[in-house]
Amino acid sequence: MANIRTMSFDAVIVGGGGSGMRAALQLAQSGYKTAVITKVFPTRSHTVSAQGGITCAIASDDPNDQWQWHMYDTIKGSDYIGDQEAIEYMCQTGPEAIFELEHMGLPFSRTEKGRIYQRPFGGQSKDFGKGGQAARTCAAADRTGHALLHTLYQGNLKNETTFLNEWFAVDIVKNADNAVVGVIAINIETGETVYVKSKATVFATGGAGRIYASTTNAHICTGDGIGMSLRAGFPVQDIEMWQFHPTGIHGAGTLVTEGCRGEGGYLVNKDGERFMERYAPNAKDLAGRDVVARSMVLEILEGRGCGPDGDHVYLKLDHLGEETLNAKLPGILELSRTFAHADPVKEPIPVVPTCHYMMGGIPTNVDGQALTIDKDGNDQVIEGFYACGEAACVSVHGANRLGGNSLLDLVVFGRASGMFIEKQLREGIKLKDASEADIEAAMAGLNRLNASSDGEKASDLRAELQTIMQNYFGVFRSGEYMKEGIKKLAELRPRIENVALDDKSNAFNTSRIEALELQNLLEVAEATAITAEARTESRGAHARDDFKERDDENWLCHSVFFPAEKQVGKRGVNFTPKTREAFEPKIRTY
Amino acid sequence: MLNVSIYRYNPEVDSEPYMQDFEVDTQGKDIMVLDVLEKLKADDPTLVFRRSCREGVCGSDGMNISGKNGLACVTPLSEAVVKNKLVIRPLPGLPVIRDLVIDMSQFYAQYEKIQPYMINNSPAPAIERLQSPEERAKLDGLYECILCACCSTACPSFWWNPDKFIGPSGLLQAYRFLADSRDTATEERLANLDDPFSVFRCHGIMNCVQVCPKGLNPTKAIGHIRNMLINSAT
């Protein structure tokens, strides 16, 4: 018997970061009974760590800026597997979404004219790549994510959104029609397990950078939504595409914004050479992140790395002067002094490519509806199920995300999901209730964990998983290595499924949560590994030693990983934007 | 080996809290206090604390470290260890849920009381509301608050009246909106603060300034609010 309490809502959003709170705001304003389930207090979500800004053609820095130029950059950045209709929607709707945030109080930095300050970021151009570097990233100093997340939380307080803070969603509840009708969730403080029933369930659960040993991501980025979705039998898309940010602080992994290079900073090797001039003669340090990260690794592999072990390079900022650094990059000064013991005013920051962002995720359409693929290869909407933000793959980032596009993705598609669900609720959503057996099925994993008596420690297993991913699925990949990695993950699966839970208490039991998170990490890692091995080409962030070229004939498509069969399928990329002709794939140079 | 003494309390098994001693091998490195806690949790999974970003921007891991409130993730041992001993307690003054995890409801309630959101009922323009760099500069030192509660739980006035005194964090945010050229609710905001407790329980002890991990100055903000209240009364 599923002897647990049920709470009912019109819409439930899992995740209290940028996209979740933007979706929640839309729904709270509509008057529908909405709840946000979030495993940390909302302002502790990982959006808070975003630094450099939110890219959008608001025509402040350049009054002639056009959203179509932003669209072109994003498609090129994606290495042509970003969906053009979704990218068009994001770039065109972006300004409206940004101005809404400003009206809500987001403390953007300003220009002399009083408009929002925009800085240059990687991969940005004017006039479809022909007009030189653009400055399109709207910034609140180097704390844009913090400013955005707090503003959204404040907006939700104003609109009286219901927050289930420090609640953890465990698994999806499906009805007899395979539709999603809510989640099983734990109140972390009391340990109570509840069936949270909903007509619309939105996954805004963020990324999963913690599958890697070295990541800019917070401890909480464990891919919970992806794990739940895969366990429910739903597919994920382009999950092999992981962004390694060029500038994580060596050793600590903490992020140093691309805005540093936007403001004029640059990378040097041990000879003091500005090496990006060799790899990307035009854009130099502001080439795509995948390009810069690979160049750095090559410098290190070829013996031009810095430090006693030659295992990093330097980011030079001192030439910008103390005043500029204090005004534009105050948070970076703080982070570098704390974690690198280097004062950027006087000395360079030791940096190394570090896992940063999951381009893949739950496939959705522009309205946030989660998709699966039927036997004939057609998209099929999963009733009751939606996703937005990093957890979703709508897909606006394709094989490589441009800096500043993730915050835009969050607000544009959080908003779009909210608006679409509001419309659906108005028209009436009718889903069959879950049966006792359906709820039991969703409880199975948790019940098994709670009964666990032996097994290995979560911390050891997690470290092992992270090392496998780091060693076999990093910046450069090869088939033979990846096959070995897949084998190691397969061996790890039964051990992780049998993880020990020594602490059985109900009061704020973080061991239980960490064990559940570990199981989610495993799902993401396995999907990443199998899909990465299957994509036999190099594209965007996916760089293979054994298949060095992009293969448009076979792989100008999304990968789709089906968890039941552990098989990889293909799905077409959208090349039909609504307002203009498509951008055709070209050789990608910077 | 580093000696670490940690406040422990699990309401399901302990009748009262106690201090538990551990030894940790830090290999002589100047790691962060959070790293020490993570090492300990690997061996004793029952040890409970909050953490998220591990870089000082999310505000999860505020705790009392060798007598001073701070964030575990950005406090190196070199700043916290005295005579090879590290003492970790929960933030003081609020109820403990378990170990280092406190119940922050009262802290959040004070934040909500100050209406922490932009109020401007004039029709919004088609673009952003304009604001000069000078006007925007007035928000520096205010908007960066991460709601970690290190300041409010270091404040004796907040310990005495957590239900009636807004506390340094909430007041810093109150002034963040009072100082914003785009906000039009100054009178309403001041009226809400104009009682003997909300603002005036601050006695300028300045513990808040001393502990703020972001280097913010709530006492100064409170001074500005006092001046605004006094000026609006005359």
Side-chain angles (χ1 to χ4, degrees):
Chain A
M1 267 300 282
N3 193 17
I4 58 169
R5 185 160 68 100
T6 300
M7 293 166 78
S8 292
F9 297 93
D10 292 316
V12 161
I13 291 132
V14 183
S19 69
M21 285 211 286
R22 187 61 190 82
L25 182 65
Q26 201 69 36
L27 286 159
Q29 285 170 341
S30 74
Y32 284 103
K33 195 178 170 197
T34 308
V36 177
I37 297 177
T38 169
K39 64 178 177 176
V40 292
F41 183 77
T43 64
R44 326 277 183 223
S45 306
H46 189 51
T47 304
V48 82
S49 291
Q51 298 171 350
I54 177 165
T55 303
C56 189
I58 61 161
S60 163
D61 181 80
D62 172 4
N64 299 315
D65 199 11
Q66 292 180 20
W67 64 261
Q68 288 89 347
W69 299 349
H70 181 199
M71 179 181 172
Y72 165 82
D73 291 342
T74 303
I75 290 166
K76 177 183 172 187
S78 80
D79 222 347
Y80 300 95
I81 61 162
D83 286 326
Q84 300 208 1
E85 183 195 0
I87 294 171
E88 175 187 48
Y89 179 82
M90 178 175 81
C91 297
Q92 186 177 22
T93 322
E96 209 178 314
I98 301 283
F99 295 141
E100 280 171 5
L101 288 170
E102 196 282 333
H103 298 154
M104 280 165 62
L106 202 157
F108 282 111
S109 302
R110 298 290 169 156
T111 66
E112 285 305 322
K113 288 183 179 149
R115 294 209 60 192
I116 293 171
Y117 170 73
Q118 293 183 293
R119 61 163 53 111
F121 247 54
Q124 287 177 4
S125 76
K126 297 183 184 188
D127 196 16
F128 307 107
K130 298 189 290 273
Q133 177 73 41
R136 194 174 289 130
T137 300
C138 308
D142 57 358
R143 301 188 180 98
T144 315
H146 169 277
L148 184 147
L149 191 66
H150 280 253
T151 301
L152 282 173
Y153 181 60
Q154 292 161 355
N156 275 284
L157 284 180
K158 191 175 183 180
N159 286 282
E160 298 177 351
T161 304
T162 302
F163 282 99
L164 300 175
N165 290 335
E166 298 186 319
W167 282 53
F168 184 84
V170 179
D171 266 311
I172 291 172
V173 178
K174 294 190 292 184
N175 70 9
D177 301 328
N178 212 32
V180 173
V181 287
V183 291
I184 300 296
I186 302 175
N187 175 344
I188 299 175
E189 185 180 333
T190 64
E192 188 192 10
T193 305
V194 175
Y195 167 37
V196 184
K197 177 182 168 182
S198 182
K199 294 174 188 162
T201 303
V202 186
F203 273 17
T205 48
R210 286 278 156 179
I211 63 169
Y212 287 94
S214 171
T215 176
T216 64
N217 285 193
H219 286 287
I220 59 170
C221 299
T222 52
D224 302 328
I226 307 293
M228 285 188 271
S229 192
L230 287 168
R231 277 195 299 276
F234 301 132
V236 289
Q237 177 171 282
D238 295 338
I239 197 72
E240 73 277 29
M241 297 299 180
W242 283 87
Q243 178 163 82
F244 289 79
H245 195 290
T247 55
I249 291 179
H250 174 250
T254 41
L255 174 68
V256 175
T257 176
E258 186 169 301
C260 290
R261 283 170 282 138
E263 297 290 349
Y266 55 87
L267 298 163
V268 294
N269 61 21
K270 74 167 184 188
D271 304 322
E273 183 204 6
R274 186 175 179 182
F275 58 84
M276 279 314 298
E277 290 178 337
R278 266 190 282 123
Y279 296 94
N282 297 312
K284 302 187 179 91
D285 294 83
L286 289 178
R289 284 181 177 172
D290 55 335
V291 176
V292 180
R294 274 195 293 276
S295 308
M296 292 167 70
V297 173
L298 286 175
E299 286 300 296
I300 292 166
L301 290 176
E302 289 170 10
R304 292 186 293 278
C306 305
D309 297 323
D311 58 353
H312 56 271
V313 299
Y314 282 134
L315 173 63
K316 192 171 140 46
L317 294 175
D318 58 307
H319 58 287
L320 300 177
E322 189 164 0
E323 199 181 323
T324 302
L325 292 175
N326 277 327
K328 303 279 174 61
L329 301 164
I332 293 308
L333 297 182
E334 206 178 305
L335 281 172
S336 178
R337 287 165 185 157
T338 306
F339 288 102
H341 306 293
D343 183 354
V345 173
K346 289 180 262 177
E347 56 204 326
I349 311 174
V351 291
V352 70
T354 305
C355 171
H356 183 57
Y357 189 84
M358 176 178 83
M359 266 78 74
I362 299 165
T364 71
N365 59 24
V366 171
D367 294 320
Q369 291 182 290
L371 304 172
T372 186
I373 319 295
D374 68 15
K375 284 197 181 68
D376 306 319
N378 299 314
D379 290 356
Q380 204 174 20
V381 165
I382 304 168
E383 296 295 332
F385 194 29
Y386 310 78
C388 54
E390 191 172 344
C393 183
V394 53
S395 124
V396 285
H397 310 304
N400 172 63
R401 174 171 73 74
L402 292 188
N405 266 355
S406 89
L407 291 184
L408 187 65
D409 172 7
L410 301 188
V411 292
V412 166
F413 292 103
R415 180 176 179 269
S417 306
M419 292 192 310
F420 183 73
I421 292 166
E422 182 186 344
K423 178 171 159 272
Q424 282 197 311
L425 284 168
R426 227 181 304 118
E427 289 165 359
I429 296 177
K430 285 199 178 64
L431 298 172
K432 270 187 207 147
D433 278 347
S435 67
E436 287 286 321
D438 295 331
I439 298 171
E440 279 292 330
M443 293 277 293
L446 179 62
N447 288 339
R448 184 158 72 155
L449 175 68
N450 284 336
S452 139
S453 52
D454 50 6
E456 296 167 78
K457 285 196 293 192
S459 53
D460 291 345
L461 292 166
R462 187 172 55 221
E464 216 173 301
L465 179 138
Q466 291 168 337
T467 305
I468 293 171
M469 294 309 291
Q470 193 77 28
N471 290 346
Y472 296 94
F473 303 94
V475 173
F476 286 103
R477 302 166 169 181
S478 80
E480 213 174 305
Y481 250 70
M482 287 194 282
K483 281 190 185 124
E484 210 174 310
I486 292 168
K487 217 171 103 196
K488 284 179 186 286
L489 285 175
E491 287 161 11
L492 201 54
R493 176 170 281 278
R495 293 164 59 202
I496 287 182
E497 284 176 347
N498 192 37
V499 59
L501 181 64
D502 291 333
D503 184 356
K504 298 278 202 280
S505 68
N506 285 319
F508 220 98
N509 186 337
T510 54
S511 283
R512 180 178 287 131
I513 303 303
E514 286 185 28
L516 294 165
E517 289 174 333
L518 174 62
Q519 296 180 337
N520 293 328
L521 287 173
L522 174 67
E523 299 298 343
V524 182
E526 183 188 63
T528 299
I530 292 173
T531 316
E533 198 272 328
R535 187 182 278 272
T536 47
E537 65 156 354
S538 289
R539 180 186 300 274
H542 181 62
R544 289 184 66 146
D545 291 334
D546 48 352
F547 295 91
K548 287 189 194 298
E549 302 299 322
R550 192 171 88 187
D551 177 3
D552 283 351
E553 204 172 307
N554 295 298
W555 286 104
L556 185 64
C557 61
H558 298 295
S559 67
V560 184
F561 175 79
F562 297 93
E565 306 84 13
K566 297 194 200 293
Q567 293 287 327
V568 180
K570 295 179 178 180
R571 177 170 173 250
V573 171
N574 178 289
F575 281 97
T576 51
K578 289 206 161 85
T579 63
R580 54 161 298 133
E581 74 279 18
F583 291 99
E584 293 303 323
K586 285 193 291 196
I587 299 294
R588 184 165 160 257
T589 55
Y590 284 101
Chain B
M1 293 299 251
L2 174 71
N3 296 315
V4 186
S5 181
I6 301 184
Y7 178 103
R8 301 299 306 266
Y9 175 66
N10 178 348
E12 288 178 12
V13 288
D14 302 321
S15 55
E16 56 186 43
Y18 62 98
M19 297 301 289
Q20 185 177 5
D21 293 329
F22 299 88
E23 282 195 330
V24 180
D25 183 5
T26 61
Q27 296 168 326
K29 288 185 194 157
D30 190 16
I31 55 177
M32 299 295 172
V33 172
L34 180 63
D35 299 327
V36 171
L37 288 171
E38 292 284 357
K39 272 175 189 284
L40 286 171
K41 188 168 176 67
D43 290 329
D44 178 0
T46 68
L47 177 64
V48 172
F49 50 91
R50 292 186 176 108
R51 88 281 182 269
S52 174
C53 76
R54 60 81 167 92
E55 58 189 22
V57 295
C58 81
S60 296
D61 62 351
M63 50 191 75
N64 187 272
I65 303 162
S66 295
K68 188 181 170 188
N69 291 354
L71 300 178
C73 60
V74 289
T75 304
L77 291 180
S78 56
E79 285 175 18
V81 173
V82 184
K83 290 183 183 159
N84 198 41
K85 187 162 185 178
L86 176 68
V87 183
I88 308 177
R89 296 170 183 271
L91 290 175
L94 290 174
V96 172
I97 294 172
R98 180 174 171 182
D99 294 347
L100 303 172
V101 172
I102 54 165
D103 179 352
M104 296 174 76
S105 320
Q106 274 182 321
F107 172 79
Y108 295 136
Q110 293 299 354
Y111 175 66
E112 288 174 30
K113 223 191 254 180
I114 62 103
Q115 298 183 290
Y117 39 77
M118 175 78 67
I119 301 175
N120 185 332
N121 294 326
S122 66
I127 60 165
E128 69 269 43
R129 290 195 162 94
L130 300 183
Q131 185 175 47
S132 71
E134 294 72 29
E135 288 168 333
R136 168 61 183 75
K138 290 182 181 159
L139 307 184
D140 286 335
L142 305 172
Y143 82 95
E144 301 94 324
C145 173
I146 57 173
L147 301 177
C148 65
C150 285
C151 62
S152 292
T153 60
C155 173
S157 299
F158 189 75
W159 295 339
W160 275 111
N161 295 291
D163 53 337
K164 287 188 275 190
F165 174 50
I166 300 287
S169 171
L171 289 170
L172 187 82
Q173 290 315 295
Y175 186 60
R176 177 249 173 276
F177 289 98
L178 286 167
D180 196 321
S181 61
R182 301 168 296 172
D183 190 275
T184 56
T186 303
E187 274 179 41
E188 181 191 336
R189 291 181 186 281
L190 288 175
N192 285 342
L193 295 169
D194 196 6
D195 61 67
F197 282 93
S198 296
V199 178
F200 290 101
R201 280 290 125 164
C202 170
H203 297 303
I205 300 164
M206 293 180 75
N207 282 2
C208 52
V209 183
Q210 210 205 341
V211 300
C212 177
K214 305 310 286 182
L216 310 179
N217 190 332
T219 305
K220 197 168 144 195
I222 294 168
H224 287 306
I225 300 176
R226 279 174 189 267
N227 287 341
M228 290 177 91
L229 280 168
I230 290 162
N231 290 338
S232 70
T234 53

